[in-house]
Amino acid sequence: MTNPDGTQRTVNGRVIGHIVDGTYVRYVRVQTGSEGRAYKEYGSCAFAHVCASDVFIGLCKVFTSTEALSIIYAAIIRIIRHGLGSNRYAAVIEETFVSEFYPGTALSKNSLTALYTKIGQDYARRSQFTDLRMERDCAEHHIIIDGTLKKDKSTINNLSAYSRKAKEKNYTDVSALYAYDLENMEPICAEVL
């Protein structure tokens, strides 16, 4: 095609195929109907899967394989769909590629609640997982420890305790402590005290 100033320009037409490993592969348009979903979200799932691979290996050393799969599955879904309610996990499973990375793992609202309760009550295995994460980091890495006080007006837990500030303001506080690895730029652990 010629531009108004007389120069030639290239015009790209529609895609009719691709060359894969030196072989021409014709492009075929797939018609979807009642067979199901035409595509699944891949990019963010694949990125989270790659970044979480060493975490999954550590989980498998501490938890059973079913628990480790459920934990990493729930964590990746929580990462790619921040703020999603636990009753929506089943729908996200169908929309994302996470189900291809971890096949056969199903998370319902009830199974998530049971999983969170079981992990929350098992301090020994959580501590063992944290120790594994700490051993993985080199001795020359810088570990940053940070914390914050959160208001806690609950009357049903035993996490709250009066601090000096709480006595003045008449509410209890919960301390949330975090440890980060500066070189790897990742969190190591978090604990509520």
Side-chain angles (χ1 to χ4, degrees):
M1 184 170 235
T2 307
N3 289 327
D5 62 358
T7 59
Q8 294 290 324
R9 69 175 169 160
T10 305
V11 177
N12 293 328
R14 65 185 180 90
V15 176
I16 59 170
H18 300 280
I19 296 176
V20 179
D21 293 330
T23 307
Y24 172 74
V25 179
R26 189 169 64 91
Y27 176 74
V28 179
R29 186 173 200 73
V30 178
Q31 298 293 330
T32 60
S34 60
E35 300 92 25
R37 194 165 271 289
Y39 66 92
K40 289 187 175 187
E41 182 181 329
Y42 177 76
S44 58
C45 302
F47 183 70
H49 171 67
V50 169
C51 291
S53 61
D54 66 324
V55 175
F56 181 62
I57 292 168
L59 286 170
C60 289
K61 291 178 181 175
V62 176
F63 296 95
T64 65
S65 59
T66 306
E67 290 171 336
L69 278 171
S70 297
I71 292 168
I72 200 72
Y73 201 57
I76 289 177
I77 290 176
R78 190 170 290 249
I79 289 167
I80 63 174
R81 297 285 174 88
H82 182 68
L84 185 72
S86 58
N87 58 339
R88 297 273 303 136
Y89 275 47
V92 172
I93 289 169
E94 297 300 320
E95 298 170 359
T96 62
F97 218 78
V98 178
S99 60
E100 305 297 326
F101 294 129
Y102 308 104
T105 306
L107 292 178
S108 66
K109 182 178 179 180
N110 292 339
S111 65
L112 272 176
T113 303
L115 178 69
Y116 292 155
T117 303
K118 188 174 185 178
I119 293 170
Q121 293 174 347
D122 195 350
Y123 178 78
R125 287 200 293 177
R126 281 194 340 258
S127 179
Q128 185 181 356
F129 177 72
T130 302
D131 291 343
L132 280 174
R133 296 290 291 168
M134 291 293 289
E135 288 172 7
R136 183 184 65 95
D137 296 321
C138 300
E140 59 269 0
H141 283 205
H142 295 90
I143 306 298
I144 300 171
I145 299 175
D146 191 12
T148 185
L149 289 175
K150 300 274 188 181
K151 288 182 187 179
D152 184 23
K153 296 182 180 179
S154 175
T155 58
I156 60 170
N157 66 31
N158 59 356
L159 293 173
S160 344
Y162 273 101
S163 65
R164 179 186 56 81
K165 291 181 183 178
K167 288 180 183 176
E168 295 172 6
K169 296 181 179 178
N170 201 20
Y171 61 82
T172 55
D173 290 326
V174 172
S175 291
L177 296 176
Y178 306 92
Y180 302 95
D181 182 352
L182 182 62
E183 280 72 20
N184 289 338
M185 300 292 288
E186 68 179 24
I188 296 173
C189 65
E191 192 70 40
V192 176
L193 302 171

